[in-house]
Amino acid sequence: MLGTGIDRVYPSCHADLAAEIVPQGALVTEFACGTPPRAFHFPRRNRLISGLALGTVVVEAAEESGSLIAARCALEQNRRVQVEAQLVGDGASSSRRTIARSGGGPTERLLFMSNRSTPAQSAQRPRATPPAE
């Protein structure tokens, strides 16, 4: 999901990733060709991401972050929102309270899911190790 026109990849260092996605997936945007990245485009992009997803898991979120915008959009769209119980970073407890007040719940583990496995298979995958402090 792009916050730019389909002909622009932002940040540009992701151009190779975008080229890999195209043959087996899709790049999606609601912006016209040539539209450059602008800060106010990304909340709109997050609304589309949360609308296409079955749920949103917030792993880390500072106040006023794109993560919280996506979580709020997901809640407004009646999607499931969960916050990783092991949030890291300065805004962790504040972000956790913000999501909980809005109706999101905690999760004890993240499920790693892809189109190549079933949810049961994904649940059996090992949990990612949080970064060292």
Side-chain angles (χ1 to χ4, degrees):
M1 186 66 62
L2 303 173
T4 62
I6 197 75
D7 58 335
R8 304 255 179 134
V9 176
Y10 177 81
S12 59
C13 65
H14 291 163
D16 289 341
L17 176 60
E20 284 182 45
I21 290 171
V22 169
Q24 53 192 337
L27 296 180
V28 179
T29 186
E30 66 177 340
F31 298 101
C33 284
T35 303
R38 299 282 187 251
F40 60 90
H41 291 175
F42 294 93
R44 287 176 59 184
R45 178 204 60 185
N46 292 353
R47 174 186 51 82
L48 293 173
I49 291 170
S50 62
L52 291 171
L54 295 175
T56 300
V57 177
V58 178
V59 176
E60 185 172 12
E63 293 301 321
E64 305 299 319
S65 70
S67 300
L68 291 184
I69 292 169
R72 187 193 75 238
C73 290
L75 289 167
E76 291 170 357
Q77 296 160 334
N78 294 317
R79 300 295 198 265
R80 187 174 184 175
V81 175
Q82 299 212 264
V83 59
E84 171 61 20
Q86 301 298 319
L87 275 176
V88 293
D90 295 337
S93 61
S94 173
S95 299
R96 190 178 297 139
R97 284 192 304 270
T98 299
I99 294 168
R101 278 194 309 264
S102 300
T107 182
E108 290 300 319
R109 61 181 155 76
L110 295 176
L111 299 180
F112 295 93
M113 296 172 62
S114 75
N115 62 352
R116 295 186 190 105
S117 62
T118 66
Q121 291 168 326
S122 297
Q124 295 172 2
R125 291 187 185 163
R127 181 175 174 190
T129 306
E133 294 184 28

